[in-house]
């Protein structure tokens, strides 16, 4: 059973768990350092700035004492146990001024007014009056002066926590991105490796552009998950935990009220993902289709222009692009409707509840808290919405990443060919097909195929298009396995041989050989360390490639662009011959290898073919009679069955399908060559052309 996308992403994340854990640890330290700020501010306000209204006593000790009218006064909480206390006094604020009261004040809370040298304090219907003296700025500073060391200490502590927070943020960001890059590198490597293991028939139904989109666009979207989404969500969650701890430390009841944010946030995320997943699935699909049509258009640009299909292709592209834009706009509408609205609503509701609590005292009847607690609570509550905003803004990336991961894992769940380490000795190449029947889907394209190709023999496969020639080669390579019958090499069933071992002693030359970006030499060796430079050059010389490539400035080190488009068909073909020769296969397949070669180049190609076929079992799918005439065995296929077999002379003597095909070709060439009998006679002995 396939694991969920989330679990599989977690498994990939665990490949860099040390870096992730380090990043999350630094994140926690940074959050703790950042949230220490409100508590430091609370301490500074309550214990230093506003603590001046606490009781003072006259003292004889100058430590932490204020000087007023040549007398020393120390705050009550600054006295050591057992230290003697003198007359109690109070400093109370009214408006912007502070007043000295030379006696105890039992309940300083209430509405204060100062007139006629007295401070009046009204509490409900009770009014208390105390003789008071207004303090000048210097006299007031005398009482604040003992607080300065504590304030400086708190400021220094705040600066320390700020530095810790800065370094923690840097380390968190670096390690999160570093670990994300490690994960994406492994994921992309695994996807590419799996693509290499997918059976060949898988790519018959999936355009190359869509595969490229999975490996590039989808993995890049998953990278956003590990960098932006994980960073914001982990930061947000740890911040929220820290904020709620701080809120409960400040006031339990207000902390409980603030918990209403969590279920709203969870429900909002569930709702968002339900709608966004639908849109993002279509968006990623359209993007793959756009990549596919771009890739197809580039590959077939010459055909598009020759047949003047630019307008139609542009319209197809515009339809896809418009549909992509349509769903992108739907996602934008969804994001605009949700993200900022959610955060602003939660913020407004939270502050309304705080004001209601402090303003009306509906929770238990005792709502008085210090100004420092109120400041710290509002500060911490405000800090809560920064991580929430970060998480909500990443919901779009989260959903895009999950959809992309789902598409990527769907590709990786496609059954691939098993990879078997090791190798097998080079086999002789005795190939036997026995009663083989095969169908790609339902209808059989091969029926009861039986033949034997002995080591060193050349077997030619002849027939009209769709007769089954290429299907026989596909079965030999084990791109597919037959539904009925058996195929053996040197007496061993090919189904019992690992595919990599089987193919390691096979070579193929295609009608339109594929060359990779690199050099001529690298296209011969294909980067195989077992093939030396000397072997590469020898193979190129033996097939006669040096004759066609001698004019190139860099010789065998001449750069080759993708598909070898800067080289002629003959040059590309000779390079593919040298490639097959350098790998020294026991079984060689020539798939219409000379059909695209001009007459002038064919003599070189024919010499190369003789070199290439020597000592190998060779299968030729070809229409040129020059290659078929020399075959040891010719199999004539018709509708998936072998209707004739034998060498050229035997089949000509038989006067059947092969004979008619031969006469048809010779007749076509004769008609095109005019009425020159001598030239026509030459053609009859050395015919060229195509069936």
């Amino acid at each position: 059973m396939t694991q969920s996308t989330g679990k599989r992403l977690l498994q990939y994340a665990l490949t860099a768990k040390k870096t992730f854990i380090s990043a999350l640890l630094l994140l926690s330290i940074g959050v703790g350092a950042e949230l220490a700020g409100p508590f430091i501010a609370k301490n500074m306000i309550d214990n230093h700035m506003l603590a001046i209204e606490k009781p003072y006593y006259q003292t004889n000790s100058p430590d932490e004492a204020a000087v007023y009218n040549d007398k020393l006064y120390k705050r009550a909480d600054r006295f050591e146990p057992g230290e003697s206390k003198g007359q109690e006094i109070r400093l109370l604020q009214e408006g912007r001024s502070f007043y000295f009261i030379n006696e105890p004040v039992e309940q300083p809370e209430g509405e204060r007014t100062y007139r006629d040298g007295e401070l009046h304090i009204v509490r409900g219907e009770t009014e208390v009056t105390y003789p008071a003296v207004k303090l000048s700025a210097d006299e007031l500073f005398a009482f604040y002066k003992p607080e300065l060391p504590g304030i400086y200490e708190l400021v220094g502590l705040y600066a320390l926590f700020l530095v810790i927070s800065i370094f923690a943020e840097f380390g968190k960001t670096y390690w999160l991105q570093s670990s994300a890059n490690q994960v994406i590198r492994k994921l992309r490597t695994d996807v590419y490796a799996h693509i290499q293991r997918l059976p060949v028939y898988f790519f018959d139904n999936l355009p190359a552009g869509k595969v490229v989109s999975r490996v590039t666009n989808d993995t890049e979207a998953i990278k956003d998950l590990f960098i932006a989404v994980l960073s914001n969500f982990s930061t947000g969650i740890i911040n929220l935990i820290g904020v709620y701890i701080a809120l409960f430390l400040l006031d339990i009841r207000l902390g409980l009220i603030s918990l209403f944010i969590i279920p709203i946030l969870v429900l909002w995320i569930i709702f968002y993902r339900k709608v966004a997943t639908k849109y993002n699935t279509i968006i990623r699909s359209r993007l793959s289709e756009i990549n596919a049509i771009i890739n197809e258009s580039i590959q077939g640009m010459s055909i598009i222009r020759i047949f003047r299909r630019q307008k139609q292709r542009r319209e197809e592209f515009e339809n896809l692009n418009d549909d992509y834009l349509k769903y992108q706009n739907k996602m934008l509408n969804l994001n605009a409707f949700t993200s900022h609205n959610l955060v602003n609503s939660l913020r407004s509701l939270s502050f309304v509840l705080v004001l209601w609590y402090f303003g009306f005292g509906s929770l238990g009847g005792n709502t008085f808290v210090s100004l420092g607690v109120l400041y710290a609570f509002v500060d911490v509550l405000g800090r809560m919405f920064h991580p929430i905003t970060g998480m909500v803004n990443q919901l779009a990336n989260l959903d895009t990443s999950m959809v992309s991961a789902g598409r990527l894992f769907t590709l990786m769940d496609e059954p691939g060919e098993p990879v078997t380490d090791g190798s097998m000795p080079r086999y002789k190449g005795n190939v036997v097909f026995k009663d083989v029947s095969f169908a790609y889907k339902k209808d059989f394209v091969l029926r009861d195929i039986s033949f034997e190709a002995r080591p060193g023999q050349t077997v030619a496969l002849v027939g009209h298009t769709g007769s089954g020639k290429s299907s026989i080669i596909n079965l030999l390579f084990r791109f597919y396995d037959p539904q009925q019958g058996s195929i053996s090499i040197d007496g061993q069933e090919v189904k019992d041989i690992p595919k990599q071992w089987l193919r390691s002693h096979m070579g193929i030359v295609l009608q339109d050989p594929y060359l990779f970006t690199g050099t001529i030499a690298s296209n011969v060796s294909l980067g195989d360390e077992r093939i030396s430079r000397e072997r590469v050059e020898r193979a190129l010389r033996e097939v006669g490639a040096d004759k066609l490539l001698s004019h190139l400035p860099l010789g065998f080190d001449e750069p080759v662009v993708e598909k070898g488009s800067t080289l002629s068909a003959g040059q590309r073909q000779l390079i593919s011959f040298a490639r097959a020769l350098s790998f020294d296969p026991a079984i060689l397949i020539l798939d219409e290898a000379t059909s695209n070669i001009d007459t002038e180049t064919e003599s070189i190609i024919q010499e190369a073919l003789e070199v290439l076929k020597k000592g190998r079992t060779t299968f030729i799918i070809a229409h040129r009679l020059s290659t078929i005439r020399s075959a040891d065995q010719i199999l004539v296929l018709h509708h998936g069955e072998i209707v004739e077999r034998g060498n050229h002379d035997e089949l000509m003597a038989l006067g059947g399908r092969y004979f008619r095909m031969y006469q048809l070709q010779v007749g076509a060439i004769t008609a095109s060559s005019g009425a020159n009998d001598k030239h026509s006679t030459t053609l009859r002995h050395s015919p060229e052309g195509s069936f």
Side-chain angles (χ1 to χ4, degrees):
M1 184 177 177
T2 305
Q3 290 181 312
S4 69
T5 300
K7 287 183 178 179
R8 295 177 75 167
L9 286 172
L10 178 61
Q11 289 175 352
Y12 272 97
L14 291 177
T15 60
K17 58 180 179 292
K18 291 183 179 178
T19 316
F20 272 124
I21 291 172
S22 299
L24 294 178
L25 182 62
L26 278 179
L27 174 60
S28 302
I29 293 172
V31 170
E34 188 176 345
L35 290 175
F39 286 88
I40 292 173
K42 168 188 172 296
N43 191 0
M44 190 180 297
I45 292 171
D46 286 348
N47 295 333
H48 295 283
M49 298 176 70
L50 297 185
I52 197 171
E53 289 198 350
K54 289 184 177 182
Y56 279 77
Y57 292 91
Q58 192 173 343
T59 180
N60 294 322
S61 172
D63 297 333
E64 297 182 319
V67 180
Y68 176 71
N69 289 342
D70 298 328
K71 295 180 180 178
L72 298 174
Y73 296 95
K74 187 186 293 187
R75 215 170 72 189
D77 54 353
R78 301 292 170 83
F79 280 84
E80 298 291 335
E83 186 179 351
S84 60
K85 299 178 181 179
Q87 171 69 32
E88 179 182 349
I89 61 102
R90 296 296 289 269
L91 302 177
L92 297 180
Q93 183 180 12
E94 191 277 320
R96 295 185 177 182
S97 301
F98 280 84
Y99 297 87
F100 180 88
I101 301 174
N102 195 27
E103 59 181 287
V105 178
E106 295 183 1
Q107 294 183 352
E109 297 83 12
E111 184 180 348
R112 302 170 185 174
T113 56
Y114 177 78
R115 59 181 182 271
D116 301 329
E118 293 181 332
L119 185 66
H120 300 261
I121 303 175
V122 178
R123 294 187 295 271
E125 297 180 356
T126 306
E127 181 178 352
V128 183
T129 303
Y130 297 95
V133 178
K134 184 179 179 180
L135 295 175
S136 66
D138 291 337
E139 291 172 333
L140 178 62
F141 180 73
F143 284 93
Y144 270 119
K145 191 174 181 180
E147 309 299 324
L148 292 179
I151 291 175
Y152 294 152
E153 183 179 332
L154 290 174
V155 170
L157 191 60
Y158 183 86
L160 175 63
F161 279 120
L162 181 61
V163 172
I164 292 173
S165 176
I166 291 171
F167 278 99
E169 177 68 21
F170 169 79
K172 178 265 295 184
T173 303
Y174 177 80
W175 275 341
L176 265 182
Q177 295 200 9
S178 174
S179 53
N181 287 331
Q182 292 177 44
V183 170
I184 295 304
R185 179 190 63 183
K186 176 169 176 52
L187 181 60
R188 190 173 282 141
T189 301
D190 289 351
V191 174
Y192 186 78
H194 186 71
I195 289 173
Q196 299 289 337
R197 291 179 54 238
L198 289 173
V200 172
Y201 60 79
F202 174 81
F203 300 98
D204 295 339
N205 302 314
L206 189 65
K210 289 191 175 184
V211 178
V212 171
S213 182
R214 302 278 178 95
V215 181
T216 55
N217 295 341
D218 287 337
T219 51
E220 203 62 27
I222 298 172
K223 181 180 177 181
D224 290 337
L225 171 70
F226 285 108
I227 293 180
V229 178
L230 179 63
S231 174
N232 279 277
F233 269 79
S234 56
T235 302
I237 291 171
I238 293 176
N239 261 298
L240 283 176
I241 292 172
V243 164
Y244 274 109
I245 291 173
L247 291 176
F248 276 96
L249 288 175
L250 289 168
D251 191 291
I252 293 177
R253 289 165 295 182
L254 282 175
L256 289 171
I257 291 176
S258 302
L259 285 175
F260 82 92
I261 295 173
I262 301 301
I264 293 177
L265 191 61
V266 172
L267 290 174
W268 201 284
I269 291 174
I270 293 173
F271 164 76
Y272 178 91
R273 287 217 58 212
K274 186 176 182 180
V275 179
T277 300
K278 175 184 174 183
Y279 294 158
N280 275 320
T281 301
I282 298 174
I283 287 171
R284 305 310 296 181
S285 177
R286 294 295 177 273
L287 187 59
S288 291
E289 291 170 6
I290 287 172
N291 284 337
I293 196 173
I294 291 173
N295 180 72
E296 190 178 60
S297 297
I298 293 172
Q299 298 290 335
M301 186 61 71
S302 58
I303 301 299
I304 292 172
R305 292 185 176 180
I306 289 170
F307 289 94
R308 301 181 303 281
R309 308 305 295 172
Q310 293 98 320
K311 182 179 178 181
Q312 287 77 6
R313 297 297 288 182
R314 185 173 65 249
E315 288 175 353
E316 291 176 24
F317 182 83
E318 287 176 355
N319 289 336
L320 282 175
N321 212 15
D322 289 344
D323 206 35
Y324 179 78
L325 176 64
K326 171 185 172 183
Y327 283 94
Q328 282 281 31
N329 285 336
K330 287 186 176 183
M331 277 300 301
L332 288 174
N333 291 334
L334 178 64
N335 292 331
F337 175 72
T338 56
S339 58
H340 297 293
N341 288 339
L342 171 63
V343 177
N344 290 336
S345 299
L346 289 177
R347 182 186 288 113
S348 300
L349 188 56
S350 301
F351 283 114
V352 165
L353 288 175
V354 171
L355 291 174
W356 168 70
Y357 175 78
F358 281 108
F360 301 103
S362 299
L363 297 176
N366 181 16
T367 62
F368 176 78
V369 293
S370 69
L371 183 60
V373 171
L374 177 59
Y375 170 83
F377 193 91
V378 172
D379 189 355
V380 171
L381 195 62
R383 290 170 186 258
M384 177 189 294
F385 294 99
H386 178 70
I388 290 178
T389 302
M391 288 191 291
V392 170
N393 287 342
Q394 288 301 321
L395 287 178
N397 285 338
L398 170 64
D399 198 77
T400 299
S401 301
M402 296 301 289
V403 169
S404 294
R407 284 161 46 84
L408 206 62
F409 290 137
T410 298
L411 177 64
M412 295 179 72
D413 288 336
E414 290 288 339
E417 296 178 348
V419 176
T420 306
D421 294 331
S423 61
M424 66 183 297
R426 186 178 186 272
Y427 41 72
K428 296 178 181 178
N430 187 65
V431 179
V432 177
F433 275 60
K434 185 177 181 181
D435 302 325
V436 171
S437 296
F438 169 68
Y440 288 101
K441 292 182 180 178
K442 293 182 179 179
D443 298 329
F444 281 94
V445 295
L446 294 176
R447 298 179 184 86
D448 298 323
I449 300 296
S450 296
F451 67 86
E452 179 180 1
R454 294 186 178 89
Q457 277 192 341
T458 297
V459 177
L461 303 176
V462 177
H464 57 76
T465 301
S467 60
K469 305 185 297 296
S470 296
S471 297
I472 290 176
I473 302 304
N474 286 337
L475 295 179
L476 189 59
F477 271 109
R478 284 201 69 196
F479 292 150
Y480 303 87
D481 287 323
Q483 285 83 7
Q484 298 173 16
S486 65
I487 303 171
S488 64
I489 296 178
D490 293 353
Q492 187 175 3
E493 285 272 355
V494 294
K495 288 184 178 180
D496 299 331
I497 304 174
K499 294 180 180 180
Q500 289 78 22
W501 295 8
L502 179 75
R503 295 168 187 163
S504 65
H505 301 300
M506 289 184 179
I508 189 168
V509 178
L510 298 171
Q511 176 183 355
D512 187 14
Y514 194 94
L515 300 186
F516 297 90
T517 302
T519 65
I520 292 173
S522 70
N523 267 283
V524 174
S525 67
L526 294 180
D528 194 321
E529 296 178 353
R530 296 171 300 176
I531 299 176
S532 64
R533 174 72 182 203
E534 180 185 357
R535 187 168 167 183
V536 168
E537 293 182 358
R538 184 171 67 248
L540 285 164
R541 284 194 298 269
E542 287 180 1
V543 299
D546 53 334
K547 299 173 185 176
L548 289 184
L549 302 174
S550 59
H551 68 284
L552 298 177
L554 299 178
F556 297 151
D557 292 314
E558 185 71 18
V560 176
V561 298
E562 184 183 358
K563 297 172 66 175
S565 56
T566 57
L567 300 173
S568 69
Q571 290 172 329
R572 293 198 301 270
Q573 200 65 274
L574 287 176
I575 292 171
S576 68
F577 283 177
R579 177 192 294 166
L581 184 62
S582 66
F583 279 86
D584 190 26
I587 297 174
L588 176 66
I589 290 90
L590 303 175
D591 188 356
E592 302 187 26
T594 61
S595 62
N596 288 338
I597 304 302
D598 58 87
T599 306
E600 186 177 345
T601 309
E602 189 183 5
S603 60
I604 300 176
I605 298 294
Q606 290 299 332
E607 292 176 9
L609 279 173
E610 293 306 315
V611 171
L612 201 55
K613 292 190 295 182
K614 191 174 182 180
R616 314 178 204 285
T617 304
T618 306
F619 290 86
I620 300 177
I621 300 176
H623 290 163
R624 285 190 180 248
L625 297 181
S626 56
T627 56
I628 295 173
R629 284 171 62 93
S630 62
D632 299 297
Q633 184 179 182
I634 299 173
L635 303 178
V636 182
L637 293 159
H638 181 65
H639 293 316
E641 298 179 352
I642 299 176
V643 294
E644 295 177 9
R645 69 179 74 205
N647 59 32
H648 175 75
D649 294 334
E650 291 170 347
L651 292 176
M652 289 298 291
L654 186 64
R657 179 174 292 275
Y658 179 82
F659 175 81
R660 291 192 298 273
M661 294 168 66
Y662 179 82
Q663 292 296 329
L664 181 64
Q665 181 187 30
V666 172
I669 298 174
T670 303
S672 66
S673 64
N676 190 316
D677 292 339
K678 181 180 179 181
H679 189 49
S680 179
T681 302
T682 305
L683 284 171
R684 291 180 184 275
H685 288 283
S686 181
E688 295 178 358
S690 298
F691 287 141

